[in-house]
Each structure stands twice: as C-alpha cells, then as structure tokens.
Amino acid sequence: MPLTPGTGMFAADRLRTAYVTARDALLAERVPEGHWVGELSTSALSTATAVMALHHVNPFEHRALIDAGIKWLAAHQNDDGGWGDTVKSVSNISTTMLCRAALRMAGEKGYEDTVVRVEDFITRHAGVRPAARAAAIRARYGKDHTFSVPILMTCALAGLVRWDEVPRLPFEAACLPQSWYRFARMPVVSYALPALIAIGQCIHHHRRSRNPIRNTIRRAARGRTLNVLRRIQPTSGGYLEATPLTSFVTMALASIRRRRSAAEEQVIAEGVRFIVNSVRPDGSWPIDTNLATWVTTQSVNALALAGDLDSLDTKEQILAWLLKQQYTERHPYTGADPGGWAWTDLPGGVPDCDDTPGALLAATYLDLNITPHIGTPQYRWRALATQWMKGLQNRDGGFPTFCRGWGTLPFDRSGTDLTAHALRSLEIAGSFDKGYHDSRDSEYVRACAYLAKQQRPDGSWLPLWFGNQHAPDDINAVYGTARVLAAYRDLALKESPECRRGVEFLLSVQNADGGWGGAKNCPSSVEETALAVEVLLDLANGDAVQRGVTWLVEAVESGRFRDASPIGFYFAKLWYFEKLYPLIFTVAALGRAWQSERPAVRQFIPSIPAEGSA
C-alpha cells in the first residue's frame, strides 16, 4: 500500500513507525560520551599514500603495515583495473596512479595480475608515455596545484613520471606573514600550506631551478619554512587529521636524503605516528580521522527540525561538549580569529564556515531546550561565533570555507551552500540574542544578493563541498539547491522569485521512482531524496513531495536508509561517504513529514519563522 500522508490512520502510523525507526537508529550511533563520531569511508588513495610514506621512512620497520595496505589495495581494485576514492566510487586516473605508484614502491611480487590490470586502465585513460600520464593528472585539476603536484611528486618518486613533469611549488612564500598569504597568489588552496612547504622542498631537491638567485632564496628559506611546518603540526601529528596530506608531507621530507634539522625530524616522526595510529584493522586508511563535530551538530539539527529534541537524553552533555570545541584563541594554522568550530574535536581540525554555522545552530537549539541554560549569562559563545562568521564574508557577499579573500582557487572561493548555512545560523542566533545580530543588516543583504546572483538559469544552485559521481561534471545541483532553499525557508523568503525557481528545479529533477539523485536521471539516493523532501515539505504541495516521502519510508522499511552514498567532497575534490549522513537526513525529512500529520501537537521550531515575519 503506498504511503499517502493525511488520508488514513494506517498511512500515518506507517510514517510514524518509519520516523521512529530512523530516529532510534541515529540515537543508537552515539558514543558513550553522548555525542556522535560517525565513520568515514575507507580510501584507496589514503591507503596508497600511507603505504608509500611508511616505505620512504623505513620499509623494514613498517613492513607489516605496508604489506597489509598493498593486500587491501589489490583486493579492492575495481573491475576496470582502476581505483576510485572510496570502495563505492568509480575509478579515476589520480587515485589509480597513486595505487600504481604504491605497487611500484612496495613491491609487485605476488600482484602481477593487479599490475597488468592497472596498467591497462592507465593506458586506456592516459596513454603509454609518462608525459601523457602526467598531463592527464594535471588536466584533472587545472590551475589548482593542491592535489595534482603531490600526486605527480609521488609518481616521480616511484619512477612513473619524470621530475620535469612536476610543477615547482614556491615553498619560500611560507616565510611571509600569514596575513599576506592571500595576496601572494598561491598555487595551492589555503589549507594546503603543509604540502606547499614539504612538497615544494622535495621538488626543489630533485629538480633545481636554473635561476641561481631563486635557488639561493630557496636554500635560505628551507630552515625557516620547516620551522613553520613544525609549528603548525597538531599534537596528533596529522595535518587536518587527514592521512593523504600527512602522508604526502612525510613522504616528501623522508625522500630527501640529507642531514635533517631537528624540526624536519620531528615533522617526519610525528607524521609517522599519526599514520600508524590511523590504520584500520583490515589494513586500510580512512580519508580523515572523523567528522565528530559536524555529524553531532547535523544530528542535533535534524532532531530539532523534526521537533523531537526531547528524545535526546544527552542534551546537556552534547551542549557542554560542543562549547568546548569552539576555538577561543587565534588558530596557528590559518590565523583564524577566535569563535569558530572545526569538523572534528581532534587537534588537527581547522575552524570553517560550514561547521561553525552548524555548531551555532545546534548549540542554540540545545540551549533553548535546556533549563537552566549552559554557558555564560551573556552567551559569549554565540556572540563570538556570530562575529567570526561576519568577519569571514567576502566582498562578493558570499562566505568562503576557511579564509576571507582567498578567491582564486575552487575550494577557497565563496560557496552557495556555505553562504546559505551561515545566513540560517545568523538568523536563528540573532532572533534570540537581540543586539548581536540584525537579520536585515548589510551582511544579510549582501549574502542574499550573492545567492540570487549565483542561481543558475534552471533555478539550481551548485554546492562547493558536495558532488555526485553520476552527474555531469560531478556536480550535485540537488544538494546545493536544497541547502540554499533551506535558507530561503528559514528567512521567510518563500515567495521570492529565487525560491520559487529553486523549488521548480527540484521538482523537475525528481526521478520516476519518487526519489532524487544529484541531477536529473541520476540514481536516487537516501541523502539527496531526504534533503529534497525536507525543504519541499515546507515549500511545495502536491503528489511529488508525497512520492518522495513514500520513497524514504520504503527505504527505512527495507533497511536501505543505512546505505551511504559517496556524495561528499573532501579537500581537493576527493570523494568520501559518511555512514551517518543517510540516517541524519532521513530523520530530518521524515520528522518534518510527521509534523505535518500532527499540527495540533507540532512543537515550536525556532528555525522556522512564521511566513512574513521580520
């Protein structure tokens, strides 16, 4: 029997049962401390880079880990001979070349068939000549050297490409004051400073410039930049808590055979410690340690949207934990002012403008739901976060991820999903702390103008940190549009032309099965269907939305709602999936649907102002 909300008790009971099932599954994922940690996908790219870093440092001491990593890679090679970023990802030339380099470095004996198949893949997609293979990697990333240069460096170390195919990185620029970085037109994004230093030095060692003045400058900058690299290394040893970045840095420095400074030795030793501590029991490595702060705030916000925060019996613990994660001092890595949150509670995190709005929303919801309130009477944590986000806004009116003014490369520019998220959190926090935020101030006007300008002719918006491997150019217009429409909903702009066009776009790309993928005709996923349903329940009427609800209920009933899809972009367009995403998004969507079935008992949701409110 199809689900038809509002037409019968059986249908209503079925919807409620599905919601409770999803909610209880999400609540069961909490750790003993009361919050969520989640689980990121294992990564062939991470595993390959970790294996090579350990090989360069000491192949004898780390033989067991190296062998286990190679064995895992061979067992998870795709049918076409290549590797994708996750075990659910289609093969790509970048990850495949890194896996090929790992096999070359660590030993191909016993994996002859694996080598034949990967060579066949690379030949089909990039040709036979090393120069053509290097060109294929560069073409994948264009002007952004953040990821292409580390991959090419690794391939050069493995003898797969020549060193003259590896672009140089100006590591000497790290001697500049942090406040000058955005003016230096770096060839890498802001979060890649460790790679700029370590890989830049590695390339310089293997491929000296023909300019003697430049060589002199770089020789003089070597020690100072290594001190910077050591200073910004977190106590865990892992830069950004990421295995690939940490492995690239460790590998680059370990490959330079010279007398090392104390700072260099410490960077390598701490990097190895992080890599060794990050390995999983099956011999693989994840893309990052965890997204604990992000998935916790998203879980809280989903329950708030569902009007069901009372089901959360660890509210006080979570709020206290969240407030401890807020940065109260200038961050040594990016120089970010106090007030932001990172994606993780671990020391390698960096405050950013997606996690900070998420944390601000979650902490506000929790604080309003708890008596007595936690925190200082002046709610200084909320004021700091508000000021932090306002200070990050770019000249174009949008909000970037990490640093204001780094607008030349993809993941440093303003993002529509980030801007919408910031607007929502500023609106909600401001509505309860008059004096900290006026929802109609200049930041609001400029951000709304940015969103209007970024809307595409078909009514969609494109996100910065999420994609879909089945969509043209990997772009996930459904995710981006749903996230922006959530801001229009929460800002009481439902009737704006931009909002109506966005709704029309979402409805136009719904699949015949009632679900949504990343674009028209992409396979339906739990994540994208739930995101679309959640906003359309408040912005549209009709059978299309109800068919989306039906799709989600059936996904819960069949257990498919636990099936995570690789929709996340990590740094440098590196795919990942997170096992909590489908649960979180399903709870938000079905919770909203269940609220529509019980208007008499609908709980107050501070994120949804009344239509036409100021």
Side-chain angles (χ1 to χ4, degrees):
M1 177 178 176
L3 180 75
T4 51
T7 62
M9 183 62 69
F10 175 78
D13 283 349
R14 188 179 171 198
L15 172 58
R16 181 183 182 279
T17 298
Y19 167 69
V20 170
T21 298
R23 181 201 66 190
D24 290 352
L26 179 61
L27 292 174
E29 291 290 339
R30 288 173 293 175
V31 297
E33 292 76 17
H35 59 274
W36 287 265
V37 172
E39 181 178 296
L40 281 163
S41 51
T42 288
S43 166
L45 184 144
S46 291
T47 302
T49 57
V51 162
M52 289 185 282
L54 295 176
H55 173 83
H56 272 285
V57 172
N58 192 323
F60 305 104
E61 179 182 352
H62 302 295
R63 190 74 255 166
L65 289 178
I66 293 170
D67 288 345
I70 293 294
K71 182 179 180 180
W72 185 92
L73 288 174
H76 290 83
Q77 188 177 26
N78 287 339
D79 292 340
D80 60 8
W83 284 268
D85 296 339
T86 78
V87 293
K88 297 183 180 183
S89 300
V90 297
S91 300
N92 66 70
I93 190 64
S94 303
T95 298
T96 301
M97 284 291 285
L98 284 171
C99 292
R100 177 69 186 96
L103 286 163
R104 171 70 68 87
M105 284 188 194
E108 302 171 354
K109 186 176 180 181
Y111 299 101
E112 290 80 6
D113 181 62
T114 303
V115 172
V116 169
R117 293 170 60 209
V118 67
E119 279 292 336
D120 181 59
F121 176 91
I122 296 171
T123 299
R124 292 197 313 271
H125 290 83
V128 178
R129 295 171 54 246
R133 296 179 174 189
I137 293 172
R138 289 195 297 269
R140 179 172 168 82
Y141 300 100
K143 295 180 180 179
D144 187 354
H145 289 178
T146 305
F147 218 43
S148 62
V149 173
I151 294 171
L152 288 170
M153 174 206 71
T154 303
C155 291
L157 289 172
L160 298 178
V161 303
R162 298 196 310 268
W163 280 103
D164 59 8
E165 297 287 353
V166 187
R168 295 183 178 90
L169 291 181
F171 67 87
E172 64 275 12
C175 293
L176 297 171
Q178 278 182 321
S179 59
W180 291 18
Y181 287 168
R182 68 184 186 198
F183 305 114
R185 300 189 66 81
M186 301 280 199
V188 298
V189 290
S190 56
Y191 52 75
L193 184 60
L196 178 78
I197 296 171
I199 295 172
Q201 291 204 16
C202 175
I203 298 169
H204 176 68
H205 176 79
H206 292 280
R207 181 192 172 200
R208 297 294 174 91
S209 171
R210 294 181 180 180
N211 186 326
I213 297 176
R214 183 173 296 161
N215 286 333
T216 301
I217 292 173
R218 288 180 173 167
R219 184 168 56 252
R222 185 169 66 87
R224 183 171 178 180
T225 56
L226 284 171
N227 288 335
V228 171
L229 186 63
R230 175 56 188 153
R231 176 174 56 81
I232 63 176
Q233 189 171 27
T235 55
S236 66
Y239 295 100
L240 301 181
E241 295 297 322
T243 295
L245 178 57
T246 306
S247 296
F248 281 133
V249 169
T250 303
M251 186 192 327
L253 297 182
S255 72
I256 303 174
R257 303 304 177 185
R258 67 183 178 208
R259 184 173 181 179
R260 300 191 182 110
S261 66
E264 196 170 10
E265 291 284 5
Q266 287 179 312
V267 168
I268 294 172
E270 290 297 289
V272 168
R273 179 171 65 87
F274 173 81
I275 294 168
V276 170
N277 289 340
S278 301
V279 68
R280 286 181 167 169
D282 64 359
S284 67
W285 276 264
I287 199 65
D288 198 291
T289 310
N290 67 55
L291 306 180
T293 302
W294 173 247
V295 295
T296 296
T297 63
Q298 294 307 292
S299 298
V300 169
N301 293 336
L303 291 167
L305 282 169
D308 201 9
L309 272 179
D310 285 341
S311 66
L312 188 58
D313 58 1
T314 54
K315 292 190 289 288
E316 291 85 353
Q317 289 174 269
I318 293 174
L319 180 55
W321 179 82
L322 267 182
L323 295 184
K324 288 181 181 178
Q325 309 316 318
Q326 187 179 30
Y327 287 86
T328 56
E329 297 179 355
R330 182 176 294 275
H331 198 278
Y333 193 135
T334 60
D337 290 332
W341 277 268
W343 58 91
T344 180
D345 59 340
L346 298 171
V350 176
D352 66 81
C353 204
D354 210 6
D355 294 286
T356 298
L360 179 57
L361 280 171
T364 299
Y365 290 147
L366 290 170
D367 192 51
L368 290 169
N369 201 260
I370 295 172
T371 303
H373 298 316
I374 293 179
T376 64
Q378 294 80 25
Y379 300 100
R380 179 164 172 75
W381 55 269
R382 196 174 303 164
L384 275 175
T386 299
Q387 293 161 5
W388 188 88
M389 282 189 289
K390 286 185 175 183
L392 207 66
Q393 190 173 24
N394 277 328
R395 288 184 179 181
D396 63 6
F399 288 79
T401 308
F402 297 109
C403 302
R404 183 178 187 272
W406 287 65
T408 59
L409 296 176
F411 285 91
D412 272 326
R413 66 172 183 257
S414 297
T416 60
D417 45 341
L418 302 173
T419 302
H421 207 185
L423 268 175
R424 290 179 64 205
S425 65
L426 289 170
E427 175 76 8
I428 304 315
S431 67
F432 295 101
D433 284 326
K434 297 302 182 184
Y436 287 142
H437 175 62
D438 179 354
S439 65
R440 300 299 180 261
D441 60 15
S442 62
E443 289 88 357
Y444 169 90
V445 173
R446 291 167 55 220
C448 287
Y450 167 82
L451 290 177
K453 186 177 180 180
Q454 294 300 315
Q455 189 173 31
R456 300 202 300 177
D458 64 0
S460 67
W461 284 274
L462 305 183
L464 189 60
W465 288 96
F466 286 81
N468 183 293
Q469 63 183 356
H470 303 292
D473 299 320
D474 296 337
I475 293 171
N476 197 328
V478 167
Y479 181 95
T481 304
R483 285 311 202 197
V484 174
L485 287 178
Y488 278 88
R489 174 196 65 192
D490 294 359
L491 295 168
L493 297 174
K494 294 181 182 180
E495 301 306 322
S496 69
E498 296 83 10
C499 183
R500 300 323 306 166
R501 288 199 299 272
V503 169
E504 290 170 4
F505 168 80
L506 280 187
L507 294 174
S508 73
V509 297
Q510 185 178 22
N511 290 327
D513 63 4
W516 277 264
K520 192 174 184 63
N521 298 324
C522 288
S524 297
S525 78
V526 175
E527 292 93 335
E528 288 142 342
T529 301
L531 288 165
V533 166
E534 182 221 309
V535 294
L536 290 176
L537 281 164
D538 288 293
L539 300 177
N541 296 309
D543 292 341
V545 182
Q546 304 308 331
R547 288 194 297 119
V549 175
T550 300
W551 192 98
L552 280 176
V553 169
E554 291 175 349
V556 173
E557 291 173 343
S558 66
R560 289 185 292 109
F561 78 110
R562 294 178 179 271
D563 186 18
S565 302
I567 65 167
F569 274 155
Y570 199 60
F571 303 111
K573 207 174 181 181
L574 178 58
W575 294 97
Y576 74 89
F577 59 84
E578 161 57 58
K579 79 169 186 177
L580 292 186
Y581 281 174
L583 276 67
I584 291 168
F585 299 156
T586 298
V587 166
L590 292 185
R592 299 295 290 173
W594 175 238
Q595 281 188 64
S596 68
E597 288 295 301
R598 50 188 177 122
V601 295
R602 181 169 177 167
Q603 297 189 27
F604 173 63
I605 306 297
S607 65
I608 313 297
E611 184 72 8
S613 64

